[in-house]
Amino acid sequence: MVVEGDSVAWVGSEGAADSFADGVDEVIHLEGALVTPAFTDAHVHLTATGLALTGLDLAPATSLADALERIRSYAASRPADRVLLGQGWDDSRWPEGRPPSRAELDAATGGRPLYASRVDVHSAVITTALADLVTDLAGKAGFAPEGGPLTADAHHAVREAAFGTLSPVQLAEARRAARARAASVGIGALHECGGPGTSSDDDFAAVLRLAREEPGPRVIGYWAELVTGPADARRVREMGARGAGGDLYADGSIGSRTAHLTAPYADGPGHGNQYLDAAAVAAHVRACTEAGLQAGFHAIGDHAVDNVVAGVRAAAEELGLDRVRAHRHRVEHAEMLTPDTIAGFAELALTASVQPGFDAAWGGTDGMYARRLGAERAVTMNPFAALLRAGVPLAFGSDAPVVPLDPWGAIRAAAFHRTAEHRISVRAAFAAHTRGGRRAAGEDDAGVLVPGAPADYAVWDTGELIVQVPDDRVANWSTDPRSGTPGLPDVGPEVALPVCRRTVLGGETVFDAG
């Protein structure tokens, strides 16, 4: 491969490449390494990811007692922090089966303010001292008077109060840490999903500014506010956002029991939270389409996904199907799908921005999905194969810090889905994590290594290249060498995943393992 400036100039055989060697500035001998397009993570929260990397990460906690000890130790090590920040706890994995109480957190922190978000970032536990900093917290939707996790408006209020205590230096350090981690795992582009309740105008602007001013992964911004007309669309564009979507919440999450379901949760009361109905979805898509702006929604529960499909279809009936399809409106997460909603995605040309790491973390017969939804609904979650069969474009991401920045891990999770019928080939998963994310943002010439494409690539140390498919009975023709199907690294559950040696963006090295 020959790179000229910021683009790929030539790709061909090793013998033909020798003719270029005398006229280039640098020759990199791969010595058996693999070159791939750089990955795109189609759904991240950079500042929160960086704060998890630089602060209190509760994801490794194996029990409630372990989490409380980690909080106690962290509080002792940070005497000057006005508010202690933590994230990533997952009570569904703990033997106690419950989150920490406010009294337990008060004791662990010595009465200091603490905000600790659940792994899905749709609920959080806090201390009494932090609750006292928020005006009328008890009157907000989602407040838990018994001291349990806060959701909805109450959660957004305490999150804003906690993050408001961070200094510009702390925030910049976190953003740099997140981009550096992304580059170190071969990620060349990130879709930052900001919005009210998730981040702030200032944070979103700072993330995009950092990406413009400092080397590292490209950042494509999505801002999650409803668009009602040209003025709103203009504001989204002036913020530097590619679209009005990302985490524009139609509902919440399964783990926090706020995803909007058609039938009640199996392990708790209620159907979850509806934040947008079909009429609100239709109005947003209509206004975005008329303004030439990409729209998107966060939708996880089956009722929420139904509302999104119904709303987009209503907009298409009013404006014309082709006009709506042309904008490639997005649905983030899209976990609880039915044959009807999958057909709706295909009909309306909706991109499914999905996270295979969710199934790896919470799928299976004994996982969080099964506990929250029951076995029958749990096995329907994240049906990647059905989406691909229907022709729905997939863009893979992590929703970091919900699950780590780990593209090869996501490919493994999709190829070895805990529900066998939802598995896809490694090549299809690879495409969804490279070209899929760039196409979802309207960049059709990126995410591949062909002449004229951006020189965004990663160099990997890896083992044997093979062709892995989910079911040999159906697709064994593709594994025959005579088919000419190119191989990719073995991502089997017991195999070491590739290690990034170098990441190059626009011809410039942004990560070098040395």
Side-chain angles (χ1 to χ4, degrees):
M1 182 170 72
V2 176
V3 171
E4 184 173 357
D6 60 1
S7 301
V8 176
W10 176 88
V11 178
S13 68
E14 183 174 354
D18 291 341
S19 64
F20 291 94
D22 293 336
V24 297
D25 298 322
E26 179 185 15
V27 175
I28 301 172
H29 295 286
L30 295 177
E31 300 172 342
L34 172 69
V35 176
T36 71
F39 287 106
T40 295
D41 191 309
H43 192 117
V44 300
H45 305 281
L46 270 174
T47 303
T49 299
L51 290 171
L53 293 169
T54 59
L56 174 57
D57 183 6
L58 293 172
T62 57
S63 66
L64 172 59
D66 182 20
L68 289 170
E69 181 54 40
R70 289 171 185 266
I71 292 169
R72 189 175 295 110
S73 176
Y74 185 78
S77 71
R78 309 281 292 211
D81 287 4
R82 291 172 56 196
V83 174
L84 301 167
L85 295 176
Q87 73 87 34
W89 56 269
D90 186 354
D91 54 322
S92 72
R93 295 173 174 268
W94 296 345
E96 298 90 345
R98 67 171 180 86
S101 69
R102 195 163 300 167
E104 290 169 328
L105 294 172
D106 288 345
T109 60
R112 296 169 62 190
L114 166 76
Y115 165 89
S117 61
R118 195 181 184 279
V119 62
D120 52 36
V121 202
H122 282 268
S123 60
V125 290
I126 63 170
T127 56
T128 302
L130 181 59
D132 291 342
L133 297 178
V134 180
T135 303
D136 190 31
L137 181 61
K140 298 184 185 300
F143 179 74
E146 71 283 0
L150 306 183
T151 62
D153 292 345
H155 174 221
H156 297 160
V158 296
R159 182 178 178 85
E160 183 178 357
F163 277 59
T165 67
L166 295 170
S167 71
V169 171
Q170 287 175 292
L171 293 168
E173 176 192 9
R175 295 172 191 129
R176 290 189 180 100
R179 291 181 77 224
R181 174 61 62 86
S184 75
V185 293
I187 294 172
L190 300 152
H191 293 192
E192 167 69 13
C193 294
T198 302
S199 57
S200 68
D201 294 34
D202 289 344
D203 178 66
F204 189 73
V207 167
L208 297 186
R209 184 170 57 250
L210 181 71
R212 289 193 303 269
E213 296 176 352
E214 298 185 8
R218 308 173 190 276
V219 176
I220 300 163
Y222 285 88
W223 184 250
E225 273 194 85
L226 287 172
V227 172
T228 61
D232 293 337
R234 186 164 52 251
R235 166 178 149 75
V236 170
R237 286 198 174 94
E238 289 172 350
M239 293 178 72
R242 184 67 54 87
D247 274 333
L248 181 53
Y249 296 122
D251 68 342
S253 73
I254 301 292
S256 291
R257 299 188 189 86
T258 53
H260 191 202
L261 312 182
T262 55
Y265 281 87
D267 65 346
H271 296 249
N273 298 349
Q274 174 177 282
Y275 301 134
L276 297 175
D277 61 13
V281 170
H284 180 68
V285 172
R286 183 188 311 115
C288 286
T289 302
E290 289 177 333
L293 191 66
Q294 188 180 28
F297 304 91
H298 161 121
I300 287 179
D302 53 351
H303 203 315
V305 176
D306 285 345
N307 283 339
V308 168
V309 170
V312 178
R313 183 175 285 122
E317 289 170 353
E318 181 178 346
L319 301 177
L321 179 61
D322 289 345
R323 191 175 175 191
V324 168
R325 286 171 59 94
H327 287 83
R328 304 181 189 178
H329 301 308
R330 295 172 51 152
V331 184
E332 310 297 318
H333 314 310
E335 293 194 73
M336 291 187 73
L337 296 162
T338 65
D340 286 345
T341 49
I342 291 171
F345 273 48
E347 170 199 355
L348 300 164
L350 295 173
T351 294
S353 172
V354 295
Q355 295 73 41
F358 288 4
D359 177 72
W362 304 312
T365 57
D366 58 350
M368 182 269 288
Y369 291 149
R371 288 193 288 278
R372 292 284 189 272
L373 304 172
E376 185 175 344
R377 285 186 292 180
V379 297
T380 69
M381 298 291 285
N382 301 298
F384 304 139
L387 285 164
L388 281 181
R389 284 195 300 271
V392 176
L394 297 185
F396 278 2
S398 63
D399 199 9
V402 176
V403 296
L405 297 164
D406 181 13
W408 286 112
I411 290 171
R412 169 184 279 170
F416 293 89
H417 197 295
R418 292 177 183 270
T419 302
E421 67 191 75
H422 301 327
R423 293 173 181 169
I424 62 176
S425 71
V426 170
R427 179 153 295 278
F430 178 80
H433 224 332
T434 50
R435 193 174 191 185
R438 301 299 286 269
R439 287 178 63 85
E443 299 177 346
D444 290 350
D445 64 342
V448 291
L449 297 179
V450 297
D456 295 354
Y457 62 91
V459 181
W460 305 92
D461 287 324
T462 187
E464 180 185 7
L465 302 184
I466 62 174
V467 177
Q468 283 179 301
V469 292
D471 190 336
D472 288 342
R473 294 171 301 174
V474 175
N476 60 7
W477 63 268
S478 69
T479 64
D480 189 313
R482 291 171 295 178
S483 71
T485 303
L488 283 168
D490 185 350
V491 296
E494 306 303 322
V495 178
L497 293 174
V499 175
C500 188
R501 181 190 294 183
R502 178 185 291 212
T503 304
V504 178
L505 302 177
E508 299 293 329
T509 299
V510 298
F511 169 76
D512 191 339

